[in-house]
């Protein structure tokens, strides 16, 4: 089964898994999913993508975005002390925002699927988790906090645009970019208030 799982390009076997996942153990399945999540996070951290990396992001999954969304919402909830309201708000903003970005892309003539957009937008939240984690260890002043969150915001937008920007037709790229920027700015406001 290991030979059939390997792809022909430079990506690793867990991204191009072609085997029967019903026959694998629970441990193997979880390990494969964790490796795939780590691989996609690496793509977000280094947004210059090759064609094979873009194809791996088109193979959507919802585990990674859900885990990142839960981590972000939990950290912000814990930091602010308002667990119920903040957690639910962050969770709904991420998922509803991804739906709005998908609908906008479709209205502009792009071939985006809902789950593909949720996957990309969810993984690109990862840089915005970094300032929340840093704030647990260091007391950031307003200037430092603005620089760190602004950098992570720019990082999230660039990562999302590297994929989503290619889906929107060239002459409508600004209209497709605007909701993505607004989505991450809105989430970064929660991060700013929490840190």
């Amino acid at each position: 089964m290991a030979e059939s799982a390997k792809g022909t390009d430079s990506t690793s076997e867990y991204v191009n898994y072609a085997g029967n996942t019903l026959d694998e153990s629970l441990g193997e399945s979880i390990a494969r999913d964790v490796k795939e999540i780590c691989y996609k996070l690496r793509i977000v951290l280094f947004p210059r993508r090759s064609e094979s990396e873009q194809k791996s992001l088109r193979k959507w999954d919802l585990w990674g975005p859900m885990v990142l969304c839960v981590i972000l919402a939990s950290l912000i909830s814990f930091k602010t002390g308002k667990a119920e309201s903040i957690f639910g708000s962050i969770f709904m903003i991420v998922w509803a925002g991804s739906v709005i970005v998908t609908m906008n892309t479709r209205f502009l003539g792009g071939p985006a699927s809902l789950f593909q957009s949720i996957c990309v937008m969810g993984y690109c939240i990862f840089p915005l988790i970094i300032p929340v984690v840093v704030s647990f260890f260091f007391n950031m002043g307003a200037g430092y906090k603005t620089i760190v969150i602004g950098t992570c915001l720019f990082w999230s937008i660039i990562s999302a645009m590297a994929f989503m920007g290619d889906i929107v037709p060239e002459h409508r790229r600004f209209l497709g970019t605007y909701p993505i920027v607004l989505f991450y700015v809105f989430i970064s406001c929660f991060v700013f208030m929490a840190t």
Side-chain angles (χ1 to χ4, degrees), residues 15 32-33 36-37 40 53-65 95 111-121 123 163:
V15 176
R32 180 179 41 82
D33 289 341
E36 188 171 341
I37 290 169
K40 289 181 179 180
E53 289 174 330
Q54 283 185 348
K55 286 180 183 177
S56 70
L57 265 183
R58 288 188 181 127
K59 295 177 184 175
W60 56 267
D61 72 286
L62 299 179
W63 283 114
W95 296 96
S113 75
L114 175 63
F115 295 132
Q116 201 174 48
S117 293
I118 290 172
C119 178
V120 172
M121 302 294 284
Y123 274 110
F163 179 77

Side-chain angles (χ1 to χ4, degrees), residues 41 44-45 68 72 122-132 148-149 151-157 159 184 191:
L41 284 176
V44 169
L45 291 175
L68 292 173
L72 180 65
Y123 274 110
C124 292
I125 286 174
F126 180 68
L128 291 172
I129 295 173
I130 295 170
V132 180
V148 170
I149 293 172
T151 302
C152 292
L153 170 64
F154 182 72
W155 193 357
S156 290
I157 292 169
S159 295
Y184 288 112
V191 171

Side-chain angles (χ1 to χ4, degrees), residues 8 50 52 57 61 88-89 113 117 162 172 175 177 186:
T8 57
S50 66
S52 63
L57 265 183
D61 72 286
S89 298
S113 75
S117 293
R172 295 181 175 177
L175 294 172
T177 303
F186 197 69

Side-chain angles (χ1 to χ4, degrees), residues 26-160:
L26 181 62
E28 290 173 343
S29 181
I30 290 172
R32 180 179 41 82
D33 289 341
V34 167
K35 287 178 184 178
E36 188 171 341
I37 290 169
C38 291
Y39 178 75
K40 289 181 179 180
L41 284 176
R42 192 189 77 186
I43 293 171
V44 169
L45 291 175
F46 305 106
R48 294 187 158 237
R49 297 184 175 101
S50 66
E51 187 64 33
S52 63
E53 289 174 330
Q54 283 185 348
K55 286 180 183 177
S56 70
L57 265 183
R58 288 188 181 127
K59 295 177 184 175
W60 56 267
D61 72 286
L62 299 179
W63 283 114
M66 185 190 70
V67 167
L68 292 173
C69 183
V70 167
I71 288 171
L72 180 65
S74 298
L75 289 174
I76 290 176
S77 296
F78 183 75
K79 192 81 172 141
T80 60
K82 301 176 183 175
E84 295 85 20
S85 61
I86 297 293
F87 187 88
S89 298
I90 295 288
F91 209 78
M92 283 307 299
I93 288 167
V94 169
W95 296 96
S98 297
V99 169
I100 291 169
V101 167
T102 303
M103 287 177 20
N104 183 56
T105 304
R106 297 290 294 191
F107 290 148
L108 293 174
S113 75
L114 175 63
F115 295 132
Q116 201 174 48
S117 293
I118 290 172
C119 178
V120 172
M121 302 294 284
Y123 274 110
C124 292
I125 286 174
F126 180 68
L128 291 172
I129 295 173
I130 295 170
V132 180
V133 172
V134 168
S135 73
F136 277 101
F137 302 107
F138 302 106
N139 187 12
M140 295 190 286
Y144 181 70
K145 182 167 49 170
T146 303
I147 291 170
V148 170
I149 293 172
T151 302
C152 292
L153 170 64
F154 182 72
W155 193 357
S156 290
I157 292 169
I158 293 299
S159 295

